[in-house]
Amino acid sequence: MVCLSEYDYEVLLKNTTIKECESFIIKNSEEVYLVPGGYKVRELMLMGTAAPVGFSGNDIIFQFTKPCFGLFVVKLKNETEEIERLRSQYKKDENIKRLNEG
């Protein structure tokens, strides 16, 4: 199993709610997509029925659930390939929705 500590990341918000995560991600991202639960950012599986994933420059921002600790908003740095993968997936997968136009 992959661990968050294996990546270059920063915690932007911790011990928060789903609504606070979504608002924070939308407010702090140039582009935001709503992905279905089980979607993987790198190898990190996102929990819940749907989760917002945003881009800020070359960084990717998303909500992450850490068992026994709750919800966090996390930024993975320098993730150009992962950003392009999600943009490409959005064009092919009707389960991925775009939330804003930047």
Side-chain angles (χ1 to χ4, degrees), residues 42-57:
R42 297 282 301 251
E43 292 298 317
L44 301 165
M45 186 179 299
L46 304 186
M47 307 295 233
T49 56
V53 176
F55 309 144
S56 178

Side-chain angles (χ1 to χ4, degrees), residues 71-98:
L71 282 171
F72 295 80
V73 173
V74 176
K75 174 171 68 174
L76 293 183
K77 301 173 184 177
N78 301 313
E79 290 293 336
T80 306
E81 288 179 26
E82 189 66 17
I83 290 169
E84 289 307 317
R85 184 181 73 81
L86 178 52
R87 283 180 179 145
S88 175
Q89 191 69 25
Y90 164 69
K91 294 174 185 172
K92 299 183 248 178
D93 188 340
E94 63 186 34
N95 293 314
I96 297 175
K97 310 290 185 225
R98 184 138 182 202

Side-chain angles (χ1 to χ4, degrees), residues 20-30 32 61 100:
E20 289 170 329
C21 285
E22 186 172 313
S23 294
F24 184 91
I25 292 167
I26 290 170
K27 184 178 180 181
N28 292 283
S29 301
E30 295 140 17
V32 181
I61 301 171
N100 72 355

Side-chain angles (χ1 to χ4, degrees), residues 4-5 7-14 24 59-62 64 72-78:
L4 183 60
S5 63
Y7 299 99
D8 184 9
Y9 76 97
E10 178 181 347
V11 174
L12 303 177
L13 194 62
K14 62 182 176 178
F24 184 91
D59 301 333
I60 192 164
I61 301 171
F62 58 97
F64 184 71
F72 295 80
V73 173
V74 176
K75 174 171 68 174
L76 293 183
K77 301 173 184 177
N78 301 313

